[in-house]
Amino acid sequence: MSKGKRNMEAEELDLVPIMNLVTILIPFLLMASSFVTLAAIDSTLPAIGPPSEPSDEEPEETLNLSIAITDQGYTIMGSDAVLKGDQPDGQKGPTLPCKRSGCDTPDSYDTKGLTEMLSEIKDRWDDEENVILVPESQIAYETLILTMDAAREDPSKTENDENGQSRKKQLFPNVVIAGGAQ
Amino acid sequence: MAKKKARRGGGEGALSITSMMDMMTIILVFLLKSYQTENVSVAASDDLQIPISSAEKSPKLAVNVVVSRKDIVVDGEFVIDLEQTVDENTGGQTIVVPDDEKRGQLIAKLYDMMLAKAETAKDLGAKTGSEDFEFKGEVLLQVDKRMPFSVVREVMFTAGQAQFGNFRFVVIKGSG
């Protein structure tokens, strides 16, 4: 009884221990909650199977778009055509050569040019969603990711999705990574 | 300090912590919530720098394969060490899977481990009969951005042989 009276007299609930706890928890959670948000890029292995029998029927025209990433730049290939780039010295080179010779860093690849070119291709083949990447062995993983980004969407143009929402123009979101040249 | 003052002033002059407590409780709840939503964690270090990408999809939980500059780790379990060598063609530093760990293109220890994971996942799927646990062959790949494609290809090939055909490359969401 007397104890209860004494508690009644206490002016306020002593929040200091809780404050201590909270002030420790907040920095801890701030450290733990990373503000870098992660994302994922889906990719599948190319299906391996026997080559299909050639039929007499008129084959459906497909694009089979592939991008070879070499130490000189990007080469864009279609079903049976290779887009060649013209070099200043008259020789044929990659479709989109690196901005700096040597391609020593991932950002020297001409990703902007690739997006523009793929955007043009997409205008002609608007049902196509697949692209095959064929990187060379020594190409850095970052270059691969940058290329996938460039091939996925065109940030300079917008289009409407199925629900009528505006979004960036989708180019070729389904990326397949091929074995590449040894 | 506050106690002293409170005693002297009979409670009236005491520092009111209640409003601060309100604020902190809100921050605490917010942080706890943002703490929970992250279901894939990346232990970034010098040897594992995840590339930045404009991808939007959020990563789902799957078998986690981490390829750093030093080693390959699957779901927190160490698999093999990687070897730093000098590239014969360019003369620059490069990373390779040691030859004695490989059978052709297959990374033997990684294959064994992935196959065991696939079997476990399939067993689980068969026992529960639930669609959520069905084996879809999904694998999360966290790869250092400086890794040469040859290593990535060998890891992908090995995972593919062990029935993991759906790859998710983990990237950091950025403006791209």
Side-chain angles (χ1 to χ4, degrees), chain A residues 76-94:
Chain A
I76 302 175
M77 295 169 281
S79 306
D80 39 28
V82 179
L83 281 173
K84 289 275 190 201
D86 288 317
Q87 300 283 43
D89 52 6
Q91 287 198 327
K92 295 289 182 189

Side-chain angles (χ1 to χ4, degrees), chain B residues 122-141:
Chain B
K122 273 185 186 160
D123 265 6
L124 196 69
K127 274 181 186 145
T128 55
S130 153
E131 223 171 79
D132 294 342
F133 291 100
E134 207 180 309
F135 180 71
K136 297 187 201 78
E138 286 170 352
V139 57
L140 277 178
L141 277 175

Side-chain angles (χ1 to χ4, degrees), chain A residues 11-12 15-16 18-19 22-23 25-26 29 32-34 37-45 135-137 139-142 144-145 148-149 152 177-179 181-182, chain B residues 11 17-18 20-21 24 27-28 31-32 34-35 38 40 42 51 53-55 57 59 105 143-145 147-150 153 160 165-173:
Chain A
E11 320 78 32
E12 216 177 321
L15 293 174
V16 177
I18 303 174
M19 280 289 296
V22 170
T23 34
L25 268 178
I26 286 180
L29 286 173
S33 69
S34 50
T37 38
L38 295 175
I41 303 173
D42 285 357
S43 171
T44 48
L45 273 185
E136 274 186 343
S137 284
I139 299 298
Y141 175 62
E142 191 179 11
L144 208 64
I145 298 290
M148 286 190 217
D149 282 355
R152 189 181 319 107
I177 297 175
Q182 283 281 357
Chain B
I17 310 181
T18 321
M20 200 164 163
M21 274 296 296
M24 289 213 165
I27 296 176
L28 197 67
L31 285 176
L32 273 174
S34 62
Y35 182 69
E38 203 75 70
V40 176
V42 173
S53 156
S54 61
K57 259 184 206 154
Q105 280 217 39
V143 186
D144 184 271
K145 64 184 184 185
M147 191 64 60
F149 177 66
S150 52
R153 182 184 56 215
N166 288 322
F167 298 99
R168 296 223 164 88
F169 298 102
V170 178
V171 288
I172 291 172
K173 219 185 268 185

Side-chain angles (χ1 to χ4, degrees), chain B residues 79-99:
Chain B
V79 184
I80 56 160
D81 273 319
L82 294 178
E83 204 176 273
Q84 298 231 2
T85 53
V86 176
D87 193 331
E88 285 167 15
N89 300 324
T90 61
Q93 282 268 320
T94 185
I95 299 161
V96 293
V97 179
D99 280 337

Side-chain angles (χ1 to χ4, degrees), chain B residues 3 15 25 37 53 72 87 95-96 101 114 128 132 137 139 146 154 156 160 162-163 167:
Chain B
K3 225 175 186 177
L15 189 68
T25 323
T37 47
S53 156
I72 298 179
D87 193 331
I95 299 161
V96 293
E101 302 281 7
M114 297 291 279
T128 55
D132 294 342
V139 57
R146 294 152 295 180
E154 277 158 13
M156 284 174 73
Q163 303 160 36
F167 298 99

